[in-house]
Amino acid sequence: METLSENTCFGGVQGVYKHASDACKCDMTFGLFLPAEAKDGPVPVLWYLSGLTCTHENAMTKAGAQGWAAEQGIALVFPDTSPRGEGVADHDDYDLGQGAGFYVNATQKPWSPHFNMWNYVAEELPALLTTNFAIDGERQAITGHSMGGHGALTLAMNLPGRFRSVSGFAPISNPTGADWGRKQLSAYLGDDESNWAQHDSTLMMRETGFDGPILIDTGTNDQFIKLLRPEALAEAMAARRQQVINRLQPGYDHSYFFVSSFMEDHVTFHAEHLWS
């Protein structure tokens, strides 16, 4: 693992690191904020999964999360959204290929050799973090924005017991029912839609739900709201009587102005459950 940068931040350290990934078969870069408490021992961790076109850097520099995490004494990890580099498949469309990994393990060519973001986020990166940093692997929570919210919700529901809480900022909530989803899932996983279900939070909510609390925020002026389909997930959560705070925020769009406006709420929400 190579240290690309480390900066003092709110009494802790914001680092950026690169390593050779076995899952993605390329170099992967991630950001990690460690609060001051990490000097004395392992701390809980909140995962932040980013959306389409993003890298590890977007939320790390725009979300304003470190100050709130420092107050709560928790770490933040910012993975990249896809494999990258020479020899990694890409596409001319911004919502497919590099920057658009959708947190799945691709089974179809040309994506399958590298696009294994599920294994990367669920297995490889957690093991690397707990081995090399003061991270408490028993106290994890997860959040994400847009495509990252989709990833956060589906990972949480497919990995029971892993995360104490999950939240989403304008998550892609029903990808099997919208163009942000059907396009990518068919490309990465093939045309058999039975293979898509575990990557749709609405379908997973109907099937299993989440054994813990959920917080979701979506802006009423979100320019992509028809692709996000928040109403489908809301109906599934209501039918299951899921423990959830589901909010529509008047006037907010899909940008990081929206994300940063409610970041304190999300970090505080997760800290309550990480420290309980």
Side-chain angles (χ1 to χ4, degrees):
M1 187 171 59
E2 178 184 354
T3 300
L4 300 182
S5 64
E6 288 184 332
N7 297 93
T8 300
C9 181
F10 291 100
V13 176
Q14 175 62 64
V16 178
Y17 308 94
K18 182 170 71 173
H19 70 107
S21 167
D22 290 334
C24 297
K25 296 180 175 58
C26 64
D27 286 344
M28 295 292 288
T29 301
F30 66 93
L32 175 66
F33 171 74
L34 289 173
E37 288 83 351
K39 298 174 184 176
D40 300 319
V43 295
V45 61
L46 173 60
W47 291 75
Y48 183 100
L49 305 186
S50 289
L52 288 166
T53 75
C54 292
T55 69
H56 69 281
E57 190 174 21
N58 294 71
M60 190 180 79
T61 59
K62 295 180 180 180
Q66 291 91 339
W68 307 120
E71 281 194 11
Q72 301 292 343
I74 64 175
L76 298 166
V77 59
F78 305 99
D80 203 346
T81 57
S82 79
R84 299 180 191 272
E86 186 177 352
V88 176
D90 202 2
H91 198 278
D92 291 339
D93 293 346
Y94 76 95
D95 57 356
L96 190 65
Q98 295 187 35
F102 252 76
Y103 304 101
V104 303
N105 287 337
T107 60
Q108 306 300 303
K109 294 181 179 180
W111 314 107
S112 53
H114 298 282
F115 279 69
N116 296 298
M117 289 300 295
W118 182 277
N119 283 354
Y120 180 69
V121 173
E123 299 175 6
E124 184 176 15
L125 189 53
L128 185 148
L129 292 175
T130 55
T131 299
N132 293 279
F133 300 96
I135 297 295
D136 183 352
E138 298 301 313
R139 295 176 182 267
Q140 299 188 60
I142 191 166
T143 187
H145 174 225
S146 193
M147 179 184 72
H150 139 81
L153 288 163
T154 54
L155 280 157
M157 285 188 275
N158 278 286
L159 299 172
R162 171 74 64 88
F163 301 105
R164 297 195 176 191
S165 52
V166 59
S167 72
F169 298 88
I172 298 174
S173 298
N174 185 208
T176 64
D179 287 342
W180 268 2
R182 296 191 63 83
K183 173 182 179 178
Q184 293 84 357
L185 295 175
S186 62
Y188 296 144
L189 302 178
D191 293 332
D192 183 352
E193 296 189 20
S194 66
N195 296 324
W196 302 2
Q198 73 183 81
H199 299 292
D200 185 308
S201 57
T202 295
L203 300 183
M204 286 300 302
M205 180 58 63
R206 293 172 185 164
E207 181 70 22
T208 67
F210 176 63
D211 186 18
I214 299 175
L215 169 62
I216 295 176
D217 281 308
T218 305
T220 59
N221 283 5
D222 193 307
Q223 59 270 47
F224 304 112
I225 199 164
K226 291 183 179 180
L227 295 168
L228 304 176
R229 292 181 53 79
E231 67 281 357
L233 180 58
E235 290 171 5
M237 291 188 296
R240 179 163 283 276
R241 299 180 177 88
Q242 172 69 45
Q243 180 185 358
V244 62
I245 302 169
N246 190 24
R247 309 187 298 194
L248 289 173
Q249 300 292 358
Y252 285 90
D253 60 15
H254 200 70
S255 70
Y256 266 92
F257 296 111
F258 156 67
V259 172
S260 61
S261 295
F262 298 100
M263 182 56 70
E264 179 184 8
D265 290 356
H266 285 246
V267 173
T268 302
F269 167 80
H270 289 295
E272 175 184 349
H273 301 288
L274 287 167
W275 286 116
S276 62

